[in-house]
Amino acid sequence: MTPPAHKKLGEMLLENGIIDQTQLRVALSNQKQYGGRLGTVIIKLGFLKDTDILKFLSKQLGIQMVDLYKITIDKKVLNLIHVETVEKYNILPLAIKAASGKPSLYLAMSDPTNLEAIDAVQFAVGYNIQPVLALESTISGFINYYYKDQPLPAKINEPILTQKDEELSVEMDKYKIDSHVKQDEPEKHTEEPLENQLQPFIKALIAILIKKGIFTLAEFKETLSNQDKKH
């Protein structure tokens, strides 16, 4: 799943009159100088509150918000994404849920317009990605809670969820890493093909090479596409 027209957060806020051209220019300049996510910069500059951005994205993109305090995340789901990746993109894997016969990873994000984050996670885990919205500060707190054994983050005072969103949050608690597998099916002990056995190692090797800057994810996809065309 990707945001409509692949628009970035700054463009969407500007087009809808949430921020003006001067504010966007100041935010982009600050981001270029000091780094960080644009949404974070806009919040730190005092142009918007994090709840303002979250409500805007939910309405604009039709993506539901979730209350992370109402969700219990399976450890197997957490282990799908390395802590460095969740910190880099400020994301949190929530659950695997079957949709149209295919498993999808529900991913808590504060900025679902970040296609780099979605592509990186989809490539790493091999599942379709279904973004859901949560506050940036709350996601950061739960990353520390789940991945670093730190105390549960304090709740914000301002309510941001509708009843429908709360229902989704409760529903998410049902789904585990193997939710798309029928539990009454006997386990099969057939030997796994060598190709399937090697896939995790190949993915890990590619991830390391990308991290070290040997090549980019875009370059890898382009080369893979060219190879498919030759065959």
Side-chain angles (χ1 to χ4, degrees), residues 15-224:
E15 288 180 3
N16 287 272
I18 309 300
I19 60 175
D20 58 36
Q21 186 69 54
T22 300
Q23 289 173 322
L24 178 58
R25 186 164 53 247
V26 170
L28 290 172
S29 177
N30 190 285
Q31 182 190 38
K32 183 177 181 180
Q33 184 174 1
Y34 300 106
R37 290 176 289 274
L38 183 61
T40 306
V41 175
I42 291 173
I43 293 166
K44 286 183 177 180
L45 290 172
F47 297 153
L48 292 172
K49 294 190 296 183
D50 51 0
T51 50
D52 294 332
I53 294 179
L54 198 70
K55 290 175 181 178
F56 167 76
L57 288 173
S58 179
K59 182 179 180 180
Q60 190 72 19
L61 301 179
I63 298 177
Q64 287 183 297
M65 297 179 285
V66 292
D67 185 349
L68 296 179
Y69 292 90
K70 296 181 181 293
I71 298 172
T72 303
I73 307 177
D74 192 293
K75 188 175 181 180
K76 292 179 180 178
V77 175
L78 294 168
N79 290 339
L80 287 173
I81 309 178
H82 195 274
V83 62
E84 292 181 358
T85 301
V86 297
E87 286 185 320
K88 178 180 179 181
Y89 297 115
N90 199 57
I91 55 177
L92 190 67
L94 301 180
I96 301 294
K97 180 180 177 181
S100 303
K102 295 181 180 180
S104 296
L105 173 64
Y106 277 68
L107 191 68
M109 307 180 71
S110 58
D111 181 10
T113 67
N114 188 341
L115 298 184
E116 179 186 345
I118 293 175
D119 286 344
V121 173
Q122 187 167 14
F123 177 77
V125 303
Y127 291 109
N128 292 328
I129 303 302
Q130 179 63 50
V132 290
L133 284 162
L135 289 174
E136 180 172 345
S137 56
T138 305
I139 294 175
S140 298
F142 273 92
I143 288 174
N144 291 332
Y145 173 72
Y146 279 112
Y147 286 88
K148 300 183 178 181
D149 296 322
Q150 294 186 14
L152 193 69
K155 288 187 177 182
I156 63 168
N157 294 325
E158 183 177 351
I160 59 171
L161 301 177
T162 65
Q163 180 61 36
K164 186 177 181 181
D165 298 322
E166 291 188 2
E167 289 173 359
L168 174 64
S169 296
V170 173
E171 179 188 4
M172 292 294 294
D173 193 29
K174 303 175 186 176
Y175 297 100
K176 304 298 181 183
I177 181 69
D178 55 351
S179 62
H180 59 286
V181 179
K182 293 182 180 179
Q183 296 299 318
D184 56 352
E185 288 184 355
E187 185 178 358
K188 297 179 181 180
H189 295 282
T190 56
E191 186 175 351
E192 189 176 12
L194 179 61
E195 180 181 354
N196 292 346
Q197 295 179 39
L198 291 176
Q199 281 186 0
F201 300 99
I202 295 173
K203 284 186 176 181
L205 177 59
I206 293 171
I208 291 172
L209 294 175
I210 292 174
K211 183 177 179 181
K212 290 183 175 293
I214 305 301
F215 53 79
T216 66
L217 179 59
E219 290 173 338
F220 174 77
K221 288 183 175 180
E222 182 180 355
T223 302
L224 198 61

